[in-house]
Amino acid sequence: MTKKIKSFIIVLLVSVYIIFISPLVYGQDDGGTGNKIDGYSVILNDQALFKIQAPTGSFSPEERANTITNRLKKFAEDNSLPIEAITLENQESLTSIIAEDKILATLTEEDAKAARKSRQELAEEYLQIIKTSLDQYREERTLTARIFSLIWTVIATLSLLLIFKLMNLVFPRIFNLLNRWRNTVIPGLRIQNVNLISSTQVTNSLIAVVKLVRVVIVLLILFLYVPFILSFFPLTRKISKKIFEYIVRAILYISDSVVEYIPNIFMIGLIVVSTYYIIRFCKFIFRELERGNITIPGFYQDWATPTYNILQFLIIALAAVVAFPYLPGFDSPAFRGISVFLGILFSLGSTSAVANTVGGVILIYTRAFQLGDRVQIGDIIGDIEDKSLLVTRIRTPKNVIVTLPNATVLNSNVVNFSASARETGIPLIISTTVTLGYDVPWRKVHQVLLAAADATDCLLKDPHPFVLQTSLDDFYVSYELNVYTDKTRRLFYIYSDLHQNIQDKCNEADIEILSPHYSALRDGNQNTIPANYLPKDYQVPGFKIENLGNNFKNH
């Protein structure tokens, strides 16, 4: 191994130490800045060599540090000036670091007192630091150093790809191993016969944690790779150092914040776990209420699920209120401003939502309808498809889904065709009206209508259908046929079948369904009864002509 290669490796190790290790051990450098107490740094090759703390004559420490920095930079860039020519020149009250006839730095007794060393010791220490830094500056800018920087960049990039390749091989095997351990090596969390957390849930949680660890490792490697590559080149070393400082500062800040936040995390975890098991207990109670295994006087089974949902929301809201003070940044003005803004936004934009929610709660506890009930809300008739705290959905007989806000439903008349049969066992009565002339005997009409009801499917035989004569009008009598049914979801079909049977039975009984609001000339006209119900020897009657006698005048 040649001398240059050895020197390059030494320089590289020193650079890595100065760039990556020294900020962690000695703290972050001031980047060329400083203050009157700690002094001002002399910078070369983006590195702080030493600090100037004392003034000299009319020159302040900051001016002295800037002057020394500029002199060292000019000397380093001039390769014709040998580093071995840099020596010390002692005078009565000061010591100068010179190169031939050029002064690079001057040290006084005040500098020695500030450093708590003798002037000679301090000068020799600064001389060695300057020589090392200048040698490093020039060595890093040689062609050999740049070639090696490219080689190290390629090696680092190949190492990065190799690490990612290994991760792609290792992590899938971990996932497969966890999946194989599902329900075997990885148990669920049980208390007696109650399964709190299944083995599948535990396995999925472990897989999620491993995926998170993989993402963190990838990001950490990339964050370290970029400044590491930039540190190989003098022009980008300052950027590399800044990036690494940002990363270290962020990691330290996060770690310190996490350590300080551990008691709050414990309290939040305790609140979350307590809330979870309280909700599970409530779910168990309301599930048993819904199944009828637990009964409370005046509490209906269909109230169990909505009551559980409301109670769950209240428990979570209460837990959130208790946990909020333990959240990071809870007392910050930004958090308070956002909270106020969201509160105002919710108040202004949720008026109708709150009205619909209140309406949904009232509809639940008034038991106006249940899922599957045939209802009429306003002019909409159909079956209850879905009901929530905000809306109610109805499926019409023609399979049209109508969504109604609960506030609208609450302000409308709700007609429930299914509630009576479900809750009291008394079937629904449906009716239809037929108007016939006074020439048709009412007993015959009753008999025909009851026969039509008996021939209709989905109608109950017991209780028996009945007929009411609802009015005696000027030209006709109104007959109302009332029938019982428990098939409320088939009302449209029942009405259609009932009307068909009424037509058939009236035709069979030689009854014309008409309301004689007018006077008709029947002589010589075909009977309105269908031909298949007329006698085989039926003939259309002819017109009758009467002798008007003296009423007829011959003009």
Side-chain angles (χ1 to χ4, degrees):
M1 185 177 293
T2 63
K3 181 179 179 181
K4 287 187 176 181
I5 295 178
K6 291 181 179 180
S7 300
F8 176 79
I9 293 177
I10 294 174
V11 169
L12 178 63
L13 293 176
V14 173
S15 301
V16 171
Y17 174 82
I18 294 175
I19 295 174
F20 295 102
I21 307 301
S22 60
L24 300 179
V25 178
Y26 302 106
Q28 301 169 351
D29 75 78
D30 53 12
T33 63
N35 53 67
K36 294 182 179 180
I37 299 176
D38 297 330
Y40 295 88
S41 298
V42 174
I43 304 297
L44 180 63
N45 203 18
D46 297 324
Q47 300 175 18
L49 304 184
F50 49 85
K51 291 181 179 292
I52 301 298
Q53 296 175 294
T56 300
S58 61
F59 290 94
S60 66
E62 184 178 5
E63 292 174 337
R64 291 182 62 201
N66 293 334
T67 302
I68 297 173
T69 297
N70 294 331
R71 291 174 179 175
L72 291 178
K73 185 175 181 181
K74 289 180 181 180
F75 185 90
E77 292 174 352
D78 189 355
N79 291 324
S80 63
L81 299 175
I83 299 176
E84 293 77 7
I86 302 175
T87 60
L88 296 177
E89 182 180 277
N90 293 314
Q91 298 178 11
E92 182 179 354
S93 60
L94 55 85
T95 300
S96 300
I97 301 176
I98 62 174
E100 297 181 350
D101 58 345
K102 296 180 180 180
I103 298 176
L104 300 179
T106 300
L107 302 178
T108 64
E109 291 294 340
E110 287 77 9
D111 293 323
K113 291 179 181 180
R116 296 181 180 180
K117 296 180 180 179
S118 66
R119 180 157 51 92
Q120 185 66 27
E121 290 177 349
L122 185 63
E124 292 177 356
E125 179 182 344
Y126 284 3
L127 175 63
Q128 187 61 37
I129 292 175
I130 290 174
K131 286 184 176 181
T132 303
S133 181
L134 290 173
D135 184 67
Q136 177 183 342
Y137 185 93
R138 291 180 177 180
E139 186 69 31
E140 288 177 351
R141 284 158 178 78
T142 61
L143 179 61
T144 304
R146 293 175 180 177
I147 294 174
F148 272 96
S149 297
L150 292 175
I151 294 174
W152 283 112
T153 301
V154 173
I155 294 174
T157 303
L158 293 177
S159 301
L160 177 69
L161 297 177
L162 179 61
I163 292 173
F164 285 165
K165 182 66 175 178
L166 292 176
M167 291 178 63
N168 290 333
L169 294 176
V170 171
F171 279 97
R173 294 186 178 182
I174 296 176
F175 297 146
N176 293 332
L177 181 63
L178 292 175
N179 286 323
R180 287 198 303 268
W181 285 353
R182 191 191 306 265
N183 296 321
T184 54
V185 178
I186 302 176
L189 180 60
R190 299 176 60 89
I191 297 179
Q192 295 182 355
N193 294 327
V194 179
N195 189 12
L196 299 179
I197 302 176
S198 64
S199 176
T200 300
Q201 292 174 323
V202 176
T203 304
N204 292 337
S205 300
L206 292 176
I207 292 175
V209 170
V210 174
K211 289 182 178 179
L212 179 62
V213 170
R214 180 175 63 178
V215 171
V216 172
I217 292 175
V218 170
L219 293 177
L220 183 60
I221 291 174
L222 291 177
F223 285 152
L224 294 178
Y225 169 78
V226 173
F228 186 68
I229 292 298
L230 295 177
S231 67
F232 292 146
F233 303 94
L235 296 178
T236 58
R237 182 166 298 140
K238 186 175 181 180
I239 300 175
S240 167
K241 188 175 181 180
K242 287 294 182 183
I243 294 176
F244 189 77
E245 286 178 358
Y246 295 151
I247 295 173
V248 172
R249 192 179 305 169
I251 293 175
L252 292 177
Y253 175 78
I254 293 174
S255 61
D256 292 342
S257 300
V258 169
V259 171
E260 294 177 0
Y261 196 68
I262 287 177
N264 290 351
I265 293 176
F266 175 77
M267 289 301 300
I268 292 176
L270 182 61
I271 293 171
V272 170
V273 172
S274 302
T275 303
Y276 174 77
Y277 285 106
I278 290 173
I279 291 176
R280 285 188 65 92
F281 176 75
C282 293
K283 184 177 182 180
F284 169 76
I285 296 298
F286 284 101
R287 184 172 58 225
E288 296 301 314
L289 284 170
E290 186 177 20
R291 294 174 178 175
N293 297 331
I294 299 177
T295 58
I296 298 177
F299 189 92
Y300 297 93
Q301 290 179 231
D302 54 294
W303 287 356
T305 298
T307 304
Y308 166 72
N309 292 334
I310 295 173
L311 186 61
Q312 181 184 30
F313 173 78
L314 294 177
I315 292 174
I316 293 176
L318 180 62
V321 170
V322 176
F324 266 13
Y326 299 100
L327 295 178
F330 175 75
D331 293 330
S332 65
F335 190 93
R336 294 177 181 177
I338 293 174
S339 301
V340 172
F341 173 75
L342 293 178
I344 295 175
L345 189 66
F346 179 80
S347 300
L348 296 178
S350 62
T351 303
S352 58
V354 172
N356 289 328
T357 302
V358 173
V361 173
I362 294 175
L363 289 174
I364 289 172
Y365 290 101
T366 55
R367 307 184 73 234
F369 47 76
Q370 296 183 11
L371 293 179
D373 284 358
R374 171 60 61 91
V375 299
Q376 179 177 354
I377 302 176
D379 57 350
I380 300 173
I381 298 178
D383 302 322
I384 299 297
E385 186 77 8
D386 179 45
K387 62 176 182 177
S388 63
L389 288 178
L390 295 177
V391 297
T392 297
R393 292 182 175 86
I394 299 176
R395 181 185 294 275
T396 67
K398 295 184 179 180
N399 289 329
V400 177
I401 302 295
V402 181
T403 301
L404 298 175
N406 285 334
T408 302
V409 177
L410 188 63
N411 294 325
S412 304
N413 293 326
V414 179
V415 180
N416 194 324
F417 299 102
S418 305
S420 178
R422 183 186 65 250
E423 296 179 1
T424 64
I426 301 175
L428 176 68
I429 298 177
I430 61 174
S431 63
T432 186
T433 300
V434 179
T435 57
L436 299 172
Y438 284 93
D439 57 325
V440 183
W442 66 267
R443 290 180 179 84
K444 183 177 181 181
V445 175
H446 283 216
Q447 181 180 1
V448 169
L449 293 178
L450 293 176
D454 187 65
T456 304
D457 295 332
C458 299
L459 296 182
L460 299 177
K461 309 300 181 183
D462 187 22
H464 301 290
F466 59 93
V467 179
L468 299 177
Q469 292 173 223
T470 57
S471 65
L472 300 175
D473 298 299
D474 292 338
F475 301 100
Y476 55 82
V477 181
S478 296
Y479 297 93
E480 182 184 77
L481 174 60
N482 296 271
V483 294
Y484 294 88
T485 182
D486 55 2
K487 308 295 183 182
T488 56
R489 304 188 70 171
R490 294 186 55 83
L491 287 181
F492 281 82
Y493 301 102
I494 293 173
Y495 271 115
S496 179
D497 293 343
L498 182 60
H499 292 157
Q500 293 173 9
N501 291 330
I502 289 175
Q503 285 183 276
D504 291 339
K505 296 302 179 182
C506 287
N507 290 334
E508 292 175 0
D510 198 20
I511 297 176
E512 294 182 86
I513 302 177
L514 52 83
S515 302
H517 277 218
Y518 58 90
S519 299
L521 185 63
R522 301 305 303 274
D523 293 341
N525 290 321
Q526 173 71 37
N527 196 303
T528 59
I529 299 175
N532 57 325
Y533 288 101
L534 297 176
K536 294 181 180 180
D537 56 351
Y538 174 79
Q539 294 181 355
V540 178
F543 288 94
K544 296 180 181 180
I545 301 177
E546 297 182 356
N547 185 7
L548 301 179
N550 295 331
N551 293 331
F552 179 77
K553 295 182 180 181
N554 186 8
H555 296 283

